[in-house]
Amino acid sequence: MGRSPCCEKAHTNKGAWTKEEDQRLIDHIRNHGEGCWRSLPKSAGLLRCGKSCRLRWINYLRPDLKRGNFTNEEDQIIIKLHSLLGNKWSLIAGRLPGRTDNEIKNYWNTHIKRKLLSHGIDPQTHRPINDTKAVPSQIVVVGPNQNDAVEYSLSNLAVKQENSSGASTSGTTTDEDLRQNGECYYSGDNSERIELNLDLTLGFGSGSGRVVGAGLLADSKPWRDQLMAARLSLL
DNA sequence: AAGAACTTCAACCGCGTTCGG
DNA sequence: TCCGAACGCGGTTGAAGTTCT
């Protein structure tokens, strides 16, 4: 009958972690590696639930965490990625080695949001606060490496959705879609195939070029993530 | 010096997705 | 194939620290 419960909630500690708890968790992961969060608390002798152990390790104890203030370069990367991905903190964190999703989320809410607002920019749409009509003229496509971010000017984007019976519908994203999400999307059913057609103008310093491509999204993953993957494949 | 107001961030909560029996 | 637990994520909370009055 499914899996057994992860922990006995009545017998777990809550709140701030003690140094001793931290050390037990570090020692255990050093000896046994990450994973198996369900059984970890018991085998490490911790009165915490696995979920809490995982969070403590990922957000605070991991040896590869950077710590310290965010650099201006990191600020810019976060802002650019947020304009493309929205509040997808884990995806953003994936592009910033040594930073966690929780850390970036906190930093966004306490620093960057305020910074953008003080410059008259809406932190959700990344557009001037009093500009309610215009559609974003740029989207950001991010390559496999951290420094691969390239800005595209958007000339046309069309998405075709095809269901399992072969019937298809198609359309171009609406202005309202773009305004609300800061990116292009098609609000189709996750379970169906989605075909993406892009017609983009690229700008590199003084030069420019044009990319026209298409990506077919399989149906095994959340379609929104696949949209990202399709964009990558167009590069 | 004190306490009110504000800021920061670690930790918790709840929900959607994935996975195992 | 179904059901239920684990996992992973984003939103929220609240304690601790800092600044202001």
PDB file of all heavy atoms in Angstrom, chain A residues 2-3 14-15 17 51-52 55-56 102 106 114, chain B residues 8-15 19-21:
ATOM      1  N   GLY A   2       1.426   1.662  -1.102  1.00  0.00           N
ATOM      2  CA  GLY A   2       2.205   2.894  -1.134  1.00  0.00           C
ATOM      3  C   GLY A   2       3.401   2.851  -0.214  1.00  0.00           C
ATOM      4  O   GLY A   2       3.826   1.792   0.222  1.00  0.00           O
ATOM      5  N   ARG A   3       3.919   4.014   0.082  1.00  0.00           N
ATOM      6  CA  ARG A   3       5.097   4.075   0.950  1.00  0.00           C
ATOM      7  C   ARG A   3       4.684   4.273   2.388  1.00  0.00           C
ATOM      8  O   ARG A   3       3.583   4.733   2.656  1.00  0.00           O
ATOM      9  CB  ARG A   3       5.990   5.259   0.528  1.00  0.00           C
ATOM     10  CG  ARG A   3       6.466   5.154  -0.880  1.00  0.00           C
ATOM     11  CD  ARG A   3       7.246   6.400  -1.214  1.00  0.00           C
ATOM     12  NE  ARG A   3       7.768   6.343  -2.562  1.00  0.00           N
ATOM     13  CZ  ARG A   3       8.481   7.305  -3.105  1.00  0.00           C
ATOM     14  NH1 ARG A   3       8.775   8.375  -2.426  1.00  0.00           N
ATOM     15  NH2 ARG A   3       8.914   7.201  -4.319  1.00  0.00           N
ATOM     16  N   LYS A  14      11.142  21.045  16.063  1.00  0.00           N
ATOM     17  CA  LYS A  14      10.852  22.100  15.084  1.00  0.00           C
ATOM     18  C   LYS A  14      11.709  23.314  15.418  1.00  0.00           C
ATOM     19  O   LYS A  14      12.326  23.377  16.466  1.00  0.00           O
ATOM     20  CB  LYS A  14       9.380  22.482  15.147  1.00  0.00           C
ATOM     21  CG  LYS A  14       8.470  21.588  14.349  1.00  0.00           C
ATOM     22  CD  LYS A  14       7.086  22.205  14.306  1.00  0.00           C
ATOM     23  CE  LYS A  14       6.198  21.509  13.315  1.00  0.00           C
ATOM     24  NZ  LYS A  14       4.922  22.220  13.175  1.00  0.00           N
ATOM     25  N   GLY A  15      11.708  24.275  14.530  1.00  0.00           N
ATOM     26  CA  GLY A  15      12.416  25.518  14.797  1.00  0.00           C
ATOM     27  C   GLY A  15      13.886  25.452  14.448  1.00  0.00           C
ATOM     28  O   GLY A  15      14.313  24.570  13.697  1.00  0.00           O
ATOM     29  N   TRP A  17      17.801  24.992  14.092  1.00  0.00           N
ATOM     30  CA  TRP A  17      18.666  23.835  14.281  1.00  0.00           C
ATOM     31  C   TRP A  17      19.793  24.188  15.245  1.00  0.00           C
ATOM     32  O   TRP A  17      20.351  25.282  15.202  1.00  0.00           O
ATOM     33  CB  TRP A  17      19.251  23.395  12.958  1.00  0.00           C
ATOM     34  CG  TRP A  17      18.317  22.595  12.114  1.00  0.00           C
ATOM     35  CD1 TRP A  17      17.130  23.012  11.589  1.00  0.00           C
ATOM     36  CD2 TRP A  17      18.489  21.243  11.712  1.00  0.00           C
ATOM     37  NE1 TRP A  17      16.540  21.998  10.870  1.00  0.00           N
ATOM     38  CE2 TRP A  17      17.361  20.895  10.928  1.00  0.00           C
ATOM     39  CE3 TRP A  17      19.470  20.280  11.922  1.00  0.00           C
ATOM     40  CZ2 TRP A  17      17.204  19.627  10.374  1.00  0.00           C
ATOM     41  CZ3 TRP A  17      19.327  19.026  11.354  1.00  0.00           C
ATOM     42  CH2 TRP A  17      18.197  18.700  10.592  1.00  0.00           C
ATOM     43  N   LYS A  51      12.040  15.896   5.614  1.00  0.00           N
ATOM     44  CA  LYS A  51      11.845  17.129   4.840  1.00  0.00           C
ATOM     45  C   LYS A  51      12.678  18.270   5.418  1.00  0.00           C
ATOM     46  O   LYS A  51      13.301  19.049   4.707  1.00  0.00           O
ATOM     47  CB  LYS A  51      10.363  17.488   4.929  1.00  0.00           C
ATOM     48  CG  LYS A  51       9.836  18.325   3.817  1.00  0.00           C
ATOM     49  CD  LYS A  51       8.319  18.368   3.916  1.00  0.00           C
ATOM     50  CE  LYS A  51       7.723  19.212   2.846  1.00  0.00           C
ATOM     51  NZ  LYS A  51       6.267  19.172   2.836  1.00  0.00           N
ATOM     52  N   SER A  52      12.671  18.341   6.758  1.00  0.00           N
ATOM     53  CA  SER A  52      13.415  19.392   7.435  1.00  0.00           C
ATOM     54  C   SER A  52      14.923  19.197   7.243  1.00  0.00           C
ATOM     55  O   SER A  52      15.660  20.164   7.050  1.00  0.00           O
ATOM     56  CB  SER A  52      13.047  19.379   8.927  1.00  0.00           C
ATOM     57  OG  SER A  52      13.750  20.365   9.618  1.00  0.00           O
ATOM     58  N   LEU A  55      15.935  20.281   3.708  1.00  0.00           N
ATOM     59  CA  LEU A  55      15.947  21.734   3.595  1.00  0.00           C
ATOM     60  C   LEU A  55      17.179  22.334   4.273  1.00  0.00           C
ATOM     61  O   LEU A  55      17.824  23.235   3.737  1.00  0.00           O
ATOM     62  CB  LEU A  55      14.672  22.277   4.246  1.00  0.00           C
ATOM     63  CG  LEU A  55      14.124  23.562   3.668  1.00  0.00           C
ATOM     64  CD1 LEU A  55      13.717  23.357   2.228  1.00  0.00           C
ATOM     65  CD2 LEU A  55      12.920  24.021   4.480  1.00  0.00           C
ATOM     66  N   ARG A  56      17.502  21.830   5.463  1.00  0.00           N
ATOM     67  CA  ARG A  56      18.644  22.342   6.204  1.00  0.00           C
ATOM     68  C   ARG A  56      19.937  22.112   5.426  1.00  0.00           C
ATOM     69  O   ARG A  56      20.801  22.970   5.350  1.00  0.00           O
ATOM     70  CB  ARG A  56      18.715  21.663   7.575  1.00  0.00           C
ATOM     71  CG  ARG A  56      19.833  22.159   8.465  1.00  0.00           C
ATOM     72  CD  ARG A  56      19.665  23.608   8.837  1.00  0.00           C
ATOM     73  NE  ARG A  56      20.721  24.074   9.737  1.00  0.00           N
ATOM     74  CZ  ARG A  56      20.887  25.335  10.091  1.00  0.00           C
ATOM     75  NH1 ARG A  56      20.060  26.258   9.641  1.00  0.00           N
ATOM     76  NH2 ARG A  56      21.862  25.703  10.875  1.00  0.00           N
ATOM     77  N   ASN A 102      15.980  29.204  -2.116  1.00  0.00           N
ATOM     78  CA  ASN A 102      15.465  29.962  -0.982  1.00  0.00           C
ATOM     79  C   ASN A 102      16.203  31.293  -0.827  1.00  0.00           C
ATOM     80  O   ASN A 102      15.598  32.338  -0.586  1.00  0.00           O
ATOM     81  CB  ASN A 102      15.624  29.137   0.294  1.00  0.00           C
ATOM     82  CG  ASN A 102      14.633  29.517   1.367  1.00  0.00           C
ATOM     83  OD1 ASN A 102      13.474  29.821   1.085  1.00  0.00           O
ATOM     84  ND2 ASN A 102      15.078  29.517   2.611  1.00  0.00           N
ATOM     85  N   ASN A 106      14.502  34.947  -1.225  1.00  0.00           N
ATOM     86  CA  ASN A 106      14.581  35.971  -0.178  1.00  0.00           C
ATOM     87  C   ASN A 106      15.223  37.255  -0.701  1.00  0.00           C
ATOM     88  O   ASN A 106      14.761  38.355  -0.406  1.00  0.00           O
ATOM     89  CB  ASN A 106      15.390  35.458   1.014  1.00  0.00           C
ATOM     90  CG  ASN A 106      14.591  34.505   1.878  1.00  0.00           C
ATOM     91  OD1 ASN A 106      13.364  34.610   1.965  1.00  0.00           O
ATOM     92  ND2 ASN A 106      15.257  33.574   2.528  1.00  0.00           N
ATOM     93  N   ARG A 114      12.485  45.809  -4.527  1.00  0.00           N
ATOM     94  CA  ARG A 114      12.516  47.219  -4.121  1.00  0.00           C
ATOM     95  C   ARG A 114      13.332  48.058  -5.106  1.00  0.00           C
ATOM     96  O   ARG A 114      12.956  49.172  -5.464  1.00  0.00           O
ATOM     97  CB  ARG A 114      13.127  47.320  -2.722  1.00  0.00           C
ATOM     98  CG  ARG A 114      12.806  48.606  -2.012  1.00  0.00           C
ATOM     99  CD  ARG A 114      13.413  48.618  -0.646  1.00  0.00           C
ATOM    100  NE  ARG A 114      13.009  47.457   0.157  1.00  0.00           N
ATOM    101  CZ  ARG A 114      13.692  46.995   1.196  1.00  0.00           C
ATOM    102  NH1 ARG A 114      14.830  47.544   1.538  1.00  0.00           N
ATOM    103  NH2 ARG A 114      13.251  45.977   1.886  1.00  0.00           N
TER     104      ARG A 114
ATOM    105  P    DT B   8      16.573  44.260   4.056  1.00  0.00           P
ATOM    106  OP1  DT B   8      17.819  44.789   3.453  1.00  0.00           O
ATOM    107  OP2  DT B   8      15.357  44.097   3.236  1.00  0.00           O
ATOM    108  O5'  DT B   8      16.924  42.853   4.716  1.00  0.00           O
ATOM    109  C5'  DT B   8      17.870  42.813   5.786  1.00  0.00           C
ATOM    110  C4'  DT B   8      17.923  41.422   6.379  1.00  0.00           C
ATOM    111  O4'  DT B   8      16.739  41.192   7.158  1.00  0.00           O
ATOM    112  C3'  DT B   8      17.997  40.292   5.347  1.00  0.00           C
ATOM    113  O3'  DT B   8      19.136  39.519   5.645  1.00  0.00           O
ATOM    114  C2'  DT B   8      16.696  39.511   5.547  1.00  0.00           C
ATOM    115  C1'  DT B   8      16.344  39.844   6.990  1.00  0.00           C
ATOM    116  N1   DT B   8      14.906  39.809   7.373  1.00  0.00           N
ATOM    117  C2   DT B   8      14.540  39.121   8.504  1.00  0.00           C
ATOM    118  O2   DT B   8      15.331  38.508   9.206  1.00  0.00           O
ATOM    119  N3   DT B   8      13.200  39.171   8.802  1.00  0.00           N
ATOM    120  C4   DT B   8      12.210  39.836   8.098  1.00  0.00           C
ATOM    121  O4   DT B   8      11.045  39.807   8.470  1.00  0.00           O
ATOM    122  C5   DT B   8      12.655  40.542   6.929  1.00  0.00           C
ATOM    123  C7   DT B   8      11.682  41.292   6.080  1.00  0.00           C
ATOM    124  C6   DT B   8      13.977  40.507   6.617  1.00  0.00           C
ATOM    125  P    DC B   9      19.734  38.517   4.613  1.00  0.00           P
ATOM    126  OP1  DC B   9      21.200  38.500   4.802  1.00  0.00           O
ATOM    127  OP2  DC B   9      19.149  38.788   3.293  1.00  0.00           O
ATOM    128  O5'  DC B   9      19.146  37.130   5.127  1.00  0.00           O
ATOM    129  C5'  DC B   9      19.416  36.702   6.460  1.00  0.00           C
ATOM    130  C4'  DC B   9      18.546  35.509   6.791  1.00  0.00           C
ATOM    131  O4'  DC B   9      17.189  35.936   7.001  1.00  0.00           O
ATOM    132  C3'  DC B   9      18.487  34.434   5.692  1.00  0.00           C
ATOM    133  O3'  DC B   9      18.462  33.168   6.314  1.00  0.00           O
ATOM    134  C2'  DC B   9      17.144  34.699   5.032  1.00  0.00           C
ATOM    135  C1'  DC B   9      16.341  35.074   6.262  1.00  0.00           C
ATOM    136  N1   DC B   9      15.056  35.777   6.022  1.00  0.00           N
ATOM    137  C2   DC B   9      14.047  35.676   6.991  1.00  0.00           C
ATOM    138  O2   DC B   9      14.266  35.002   7.999  1.00  0.00           O
ATOM    139  N3   DC B   9      12.873  36.302   6.776  1.00  0.00           N
ATOM    140  C4   DC B   9      12.679  37.017   5.671  1.00  0.00           C
ATOM    141  N4   DC B   9      11.505  37.612   5.504  1.00  0.00           N
ATOM    142  C5   DC B   9      13.703  37.144   4.682  1.00  0.00           C
ATOM    143  C6   DC B   9      14.872  36.516   4.901  1.00  0.00           C
ATOM    144  P    DA B  10      19.555  32.134   5.961  1.00  0.00           P
ATOM    145  OP1  DA B  10      20.885  32.654   6.293  1.00  0.00           O
ATOM    146  OP2  DA B  10      19.274  31.623   4.612  1.00  0.00           O
ATOM    147  O5'  DA B  10      19.194  30.993   7.026  1.00  0.00           O
ATOM    148  C5'  DA B  10      19.169  31.315   8.406  1.00  0.00           C
ATOM    149  C4'  DA B  10      18.003  30.609   9.071  1.00  0.00           C
ATOM    150  O4'  DA B  10      16.763  31.239   8.707  1.00  0.00           O
ATOM    151  C3'  DA B  10      17.869  29.139   8.716  1.00  0.00           C
ATOM    152  O3'  DA B  10      17.548  28.441   9.910  1.00  0.00           O
ATOM    153  C2'  DA B  10      16.713  29.113   7.710  1.00  0.00           C
ATOM    154  C1'  DA B  10      15.867  30.286   8.162  1.00  0.00           C
ATOM    155  N9   DA B  10      15.121  30.985   7.111  1.00  0.00           N
ATOM    156  C8   DA B  10      15.563  31.344   5.870  1.00  0.00           C
ATOM    157  N7   DA B  10      14.680  32.004   5.154  1.00  0.00           N
ATOM    158  C5   DA B  10      13.581  32.099   5.988  1.00  0.00           C
ATOM    159  C6   DA B  10      12.312  32.689   5.834  1.00  0.00           C
ATOM    160  N6   DA B  10      11.924  33.334   4.733  1.00  0.00           N
ATOM    161  N1   DA B  10      11.453  32.606   6.854  1.00  0.00           N
ATOM    162  C2   DA B  10      11.835  31.976   7.971  1.00  0.00           C
ATOM    163  N3   DA B  10      13.005  31.380   8.245  1.00  0.00           N
ATOM    164  C4   DA B  10      13.838  31.477   7.198  1.00  0.00           C
ATOM    165  P    DA B  11      17.418  26.896   9.931  1.00  0.00           P
ATOM    166  OP1  DA B  11      17.865  26.452  11.266  1.00  0.00           O
ATOM    167  OP2  DA B  11      18.024  26.338   8.711  1.00  0.00           O
ATOM    168  O5'  DA B  11      15.847  26.671   9.842  1.00  0.00           O
ATOM    169  C5'  DA B  11      15.019  27.216  10.862  1.00  0.00           C
ATOM    170  C4'  DA B  11      13.578  27.054  10.466  1.00  0.00           C
ATOM    171  O4'  DA B  11      13.284  27.921   9.356  1.00  0.00           O
ATOM    172  C3'  DA B  11      13.188  25.646  10.021  1.00  0.00           C
ATOM    173  O3'  DA B  11      12.244  25.145  10.946  1.00  0.00           O
ATOM    174  C2'  DA B  11      12.613  25.825   8.618  1.00  0.00           C
ATOM    175  C1'  DA B  11      12.300  27.315   8.567  1.00  0.00           C
ATOM    176  N9   DA B  11      12.379  27.931   7.244  1.00  0.00           N
ATOM    177  C8   DA B  11      13.418  27.871   6.358  1.00  0.00           C
ATOM    178  N7   DA B  11      13.200  28.531   5.249  1.00  0.00           N
ATOM    179  C5   DA B  11      11.941  29.065   5.418  1.00  0.00           C
ATOM    180  C6   DA B  11      11.130  29.878   4.597  1.00  0.00           C
ATOM    181  N6   DA B  11      11.502  30.296   3.381  1.00  0.00           N
ATOM    182  N1   DA B  11       9.920  30.241   5.074  1.00  0.00           N
ATOM    183  C2   DA B  11       9.555  29.816   6.288  1.00  0.00           C
ATOM    184  N3   DA B  11      10.221  29.056   7.156  1.00  0.00           N
ATOM    185  C4   DA B  11      11.417  28.705   6.650  1.00  0.00           C
ATOM    186  P    DC B  12      11.501  23.788  10.769  1.00  0.00           P
ATOM    187  OP1  DC B  12      11.360  23.207  12.116  1.00  0.00           O
ATOM    188  OP2  DC B  12      12.127  23.028   9.674  1.00  0.00           O
ATOM    189  O5'  DC B  12      10.045  24.241  10.288  1.00  0.00           O
ATOM    190  C5'  DC B  12       9.357  25.267  11.020  1.00  0.00           C
ATOM    191  C4'  DC B  12       8.085  25.630  10.296  1.00  0.00           C
ATOM    192  O4'  DC B  12       8.402  26.332   9.082  1.00  0.00           O
ATOM    193  C3'  DC B  12       7.220  24.437   9.907  1.00  0.00           C
ATOM    194  O3'  DC B  12       5.885  24.686  10.322  1.00  0.00           O
ATOM    195  C2'  DC B  12       7.354  24.357   8.394  1.00  0.00           C
ATOM    196  C1'  DC B  12       7.645  25.801   8.017  1.00  0.00           C
ATOM    197  N1   DC B  12       8.441  25.974   6.779  1.00  0.00           N
ATOM    198  C2   DC B  12       7.939  26.786   5.732  1.00  0.00           C
ATOM    199  O2   DC B  12       6.834  27.313   5.862  1.00  0.00           O
ATOM    200  N3   DC B  12       8.692  26.934   4.614  1.00  0.00           N
ATOM    201  C4   DC B  12       9.877  26.340   4.517  1.00  0.00           C
ATOM    202  N4   DC B  12      10.570  26.531   3.400  1.00  0.00           N
ATOM    203  C5   DC B  12      10.399  25.530   5.563  1.00  0.00           C
ATOM    204  C6   DC B  12       9.655  25.375   6.667  1.00  0.00           C
ATOM    205  P    DC B  13       4.742  23.641  10.191  1.00  0.00           P
ATOM    206  OP1  DC B  13       3.801  23.833  11.309  1.00  0.00           O
ATOM    207  OP2  DC B  13       5.364  22.323   9.937  1.00  0.00           O
ATOM    208  O5'  DC B  13       4.014  24.085   8.846  1.00  0.00           O
ATOM    209  C5'  DC B  13       3.535  25.423   8.729  1.00  0.00           C
ATOM    210  C4'  DC B  13       2.761  25.570   7.426  1.00  0.00           C
ATOM    211  O4'  DC B  13       3.699  25.754   6.338  1.00  0.00           O
ATOM    212  C3'  DC B  13       1.902  24.362   7.080  1.00  0.00           C
ATOM    213  O3'  DC B  13       0.623  24.824   6.710  1.00  0.00           O
ATOM    214  C2'  DC B  13       2.640  23.696   5.919  1.00  0.00           C
ATOM    215  C1'  DC B  13       3.409  24.860   5.298  1.00  0.00           C
ATOM    216  N1   DC B  13       4.715  24.523   4.662  1.00  0.00           N
ATOM    217  C2   DC B  13       5.009  25.014   3.389  1.00  0.00           C
ATOM    218  O2   DC B  13       4.170  25.688   2.796  1.00  0.00           O
ATOM    219  N3   DC B  13       6.209  24.718   2.834  1.00  0.00           N
ATOM    220  C4   DC B  13       7.102  23.986   3.508  1.00  0.00           C
ATOM    221  N4   DC B  13       8.270  23.729   2.926  1.00  0.00           N
ATOM    222  C5   DC B  13       6.832  23.483   4.812  1.00  0.00           C
ATOM    223  C6   DC B  13       5.634  23.770   5.348  1.00  0.00           C
ATOM    224  P    DG B  14      -0.592  23.814   6.529  1.00  0.00           P
ATOM    225  OP1  DG B  14      -1.802  24.441   7.114  1.00  0.00           O
ATOM    226  OP2  DG B  14      -0.172  22.459   6.936  1.00  0.00           O
ATOM    227  O5'  DG B  14      -0.767  23.824   4.948  1.00  0.00           O
ATOM    228  C5'  DG B  14      -0.748  25.065   4.260  1.00  0.00           C
ATOM    229  C4'  DG B  14      -0.696  24.815   2.765  1.00  0.00           C
ATOM    230  O4'  DG B  14       0.660  24.523   2.367  1.00  0.00           O
ATOM    231  C3'  DG B  14      -1.542  23.624   2.292  1.00  0.00           C
ATOM    232  O3'  DG B  14      -2.144  24.015   1.071  1.00  0.00           O
ATOM    233  C2'  DG B  14      -0.514  22.511   2.106  1.00  0.00           C
ATOM    234  C1'  DG B  14       0.699  23.320   1.638  1.00  0.00           C
ATOM    235  N9   DG B  14       2.018  22.720   1.882  1.00  0.00           N
ATOM    236  C8   DG B  14       2.421  21.990   2.968  1.00  0.00           C
ATOM    237  N7   DG B  14       3.673  21.615   2.898  1.00  0.00           N
ATOM    238  C5   DG B  14       4.117  22.130   1.694  1.00  0.00           C
ATOM    239  C6   DG B  14       5.380  22.053   1.071  1.00  0.00           C
ATOM    240  O6   DG B  14       6.418  21.490   1.487  1.00  0.00           O
ATOM    241  N1   DG B  14       5.412  22.718  -0.145  1.00  0.00           N
ATOM    242  C2   DG B  14       4.340  23.383  -0.698  1.00  0.00           C
ATOM    243  N2   DG B  14       4.543  23.967  -1.882  1.00  0.00           N
ATOM    244  N3   DG B  14       3.150  23.460  -0.130  1.00  0.00           N
ATOM    245  C4   DG B  14       3.108  22.815   1.055  1.00  0.00           C
ATOM    246  P    DC B  15      -3.309  23.168   0.448  1.00  0.00           P
ATOM    247  OP1  DC B  15      -4.488  24.066   0.407  1.00  0.00           O
ATOM    248  OP2  DC B  15      -3.384  21.828   1.082  1.00  0.00           O
ATOM    249  O5'  DC B  15      -2.798  22.992  -1.047  1.00  0.00           O
ATOM    250  C5'  DC B  15      -2.114  24.077  -1.689  1.00  0.00           C
ATOM    251  C4'  DC B  15      -1.280  23.536  -2.823  1.00  0.00           C
ATOM    252  O4'  DC B  15      -0.016  23.034  -2.308  1.00  0.00           O
ATOM    253  C3'  DC B  15      -1.931  22.368  -3.567  1.00  0.00           C
ATOM    254  O3'  DC B  15      -1.831  22.600  -4.967  1.00  0.00           O
ATOM    255  C2'  DC B  15      -1.114  21.157  -3.147  1.00  0.00           C
ATOM    256  C1'  DC B  15       0.254  21.782  -2.889  1.00  0.00           C
ATOM    257  N1   DC B  15       1.145  21.033  -1.956  1.00  0.00           N
ATOM    258  C2   DC B  15       2.486  20.850  -2.300  1.00  0.00           C
ATOM    259  O2   DC B  15       2.908  21.320  -3.358  1.00  0.00           O
ATOM    260  N3   DC B  15       3.297  20.167  -1.449  1.00  0.00           N
ATOM    261  C4   DC B  15       2.802  19.688  -0.310  1.00  0.00           C
ATOM    262  N4   DC B  15       3.640  19.015   0.494  1.00  0.00           N
ATOM    263  C5   DC B  15       1.430  19.871   0.062  1.00  0.00           C
ATOM    264  C6   DC B  15       0.640  20.542  -0.788  1.00  0.00           C
ATOM    265  P    DC B  19       9.920   9.986 -10.943  1.00  0.00           P
ATOM    266  OP1  DC B  19      11.389  10.134 -10.952  1.00  0.00           O
ATOM    267  OP2  DC B  19       9.178   9.632 -12.169  1.00  0.00           O
ATOM    268  O5'  DC B  19       9.542   8.930  -9.810  1.00  0.00           O
ATOM    269  C5'  DC B  19       9.862   9.244  -8.454  1.00  0.00           C
ATOM    270  C4'  DC B  19       9.313   8.177  -7.541  1.00  0.00           C
ATOM    271  O4'  DC B  19       7.892   8.377  -7.345  1.00  0.00           O
ATOM    272  C3'  DC B  19       9.479   6.740  -8.060  1.00  0.00           C
ATOM    273  O3'  DC B  19       9.965   5.963  -6.997  1.00  0.00           O
ATOM    274  C2'  DC B  19       8.071   6.340  -8.475  1.00  0.00           C
ATOM    275  C1'  DC B  19       7.230   7.146  -7.478  1.00  0.00           C
ATOM    276  N1   DC B  19       5.836   7.470  -7.875  1.00  0.00           N
ATOM    277  C2   DC B  19       4.832   7.404  -6.902  1.00  0.00           C
ATOM    278  O2   DC B  19       5.122   7.059  -5.767  1.00  0.00           O
ATOM    279  N3   DC B  19       3.562   7.723  -7.255  1.00  0.00           N
ATOM    280  C4   DC B  19       3.295   8.088  -8.504  1.00  0.00           C
ATOM    281  N4   DC B  19       2.029   8.398  -8.804  1.00  0.00           N
ATOM    282  C5   DC B  19       4.312   8.171  -9.513  1.00  0.00           C
ATOM    283  C6   DC B  19       5.559   7.852  -9.158  1.00  0.00           C
ATOM    284  P    DG B  20      10.726   4.627  -7.253  1.00  0.00           P
ATOM    285  OP1  DG B  20      12.101   4.769  -6.742  1.00  0.00           O
ATOM    286  OP2  DG B  20      10.468   4.161  -8.635  1.00  0.00           O
ATOM    287  O5'  DG B  20       9.930   3.664  -6.255  1.00  0.00           O
ATOM    288  C5'  DG B  20       9.761   4.069  -4.911  1.00  0.00           C
ATOM    289  C4'  DG B  20       8.680   3.237  -4.262  1.00  0.00           C
ATOM    290  O4'  DG B  20       7.381   3.668  -4.724  1.00  0.00           O
ATOM    291  C3'  DG B  20       8.768   1.739  -4.563  1.00  0.00           C
ATOM    292  O3'  DG B  20       8.486   1.077  -3.357  1.00  0.00           O
ATOM    293  C2'  DG B  20       7.695   1.526  -5.624  1.00  0.00           C
ATOM    294  C1'  DG B  20       6.650   2.571  -5.213  1.00  0.00           C
ATOM    295  N9   DG B  20       5.793   3.099  -6.263  1.00  0.00           N
ATOM    296  C8   DG B  20       6.152   3.442  -7.548  1.00  0.00           C
ATOM    297  N7   DG B  20       5.162   3.934  -8.251  1.00  0.00           N
ATOM    298  C5   DG B  20       4.087   3.913  -7.366  1.00  0.00           C
ATOM    299  C6   DG B  20       2.746   4.324  -7.549  1.00  0.00           C
ATOM    300  O6   DG B  20       2.226   4.807  -8.566  1.00  0.00           O
ATOM    301  N1   DG B  20       1.977   4.132  -6.403  1.00  0.00           N
ATOM    302  C2   DG B  20       2.456   3.616  -5.219  1.00  0.00           C
ATOM    303  N2   DG B  20       1.578   3.503  -4.224  1.00  0.00           N
ATOM    304  N3   DG B  20       3.710   3.223  -5.027  1.00  0.00           N
ATOM    305  C4   DG B  20       4.460   3.401  -6.142  1.00  0.00           C
ATOM    306  P    DG B  21       8.786  -0.448  -3.165  1.00  0.00           P
ATOM    307  OP1  DG B  21       9.617  -0.553  -1.958  1.00  0.00           O
ATOM    308  OP2  DG B  21       9.238  -1.029  -4.441  1.00  0.00           O
ATOM    309  O5'  DG B  21       7.334  -1.024  -2.826  1.00  0.00           O
ATOM    310  C5'  DG B  21       6.633  -0.502  -1.700  1.00  0.00           C
ATOM    311  C4'  DG B  21       5.192  -0.967  -1.774  1.00  0.00           C
ATOM    312  O4'  DG B  21       4.534  -0.274  -2.855  1.00  0.00           O
ATOM    313  C3'  DG B  21       5.028  -2.453  -2.035  1.00  0.00           C
ATOM    314  O3'  DG B  21       4.089  -2.968  -1.111  1.00  0.00           O
ATOM    315  C2'  DG B  21       4.522  -2.533  -3.471  1.00  0.00           C
ATOM    316  C1'  DG B  21       3.791  -1.196  -3.616  1.00  0.00           C
ATOM    317  N9   DG B  21       3.730  -0.666  -4.973  1.00  0.00           N
ATOM    318  C8   DG B  21       4.746  -0.606  -5.905  1.00  0.00           C
ATOM    319  N7   DG B  21       4.389  -0.050  -7.035  1.00  0.00           N
ATOM    320  C5   DG B  21       3.060   0.277  -6.836  1.00  0.00           C
ATOM    321  C6   DG B  21       2.126   0.901  -7.706  1.00  0.00           C
ATOM    322  O6   DG B  21       2.321   1.306  -8.862  1.00  0.00           O
ATOM    323  N1   DG B  21       0.878   1.054  -7.115  1.00  0.00           N
ATOM    324  C2   DG B  21       0.564   0.654  -5.841  1.00  0.00           C
ATOM    325  N2   DG B  21      -0.687   0.878  -5.446  1.00  0.00           N
ATOM    326  N3   DG B  21       1.419   0.060  -5.010  1.00  0.00           N
ATOM    327  C4   DG B  21       2.636  -0.088  -5.578  1.00  0.00           C
TER     328       DG B  21
END
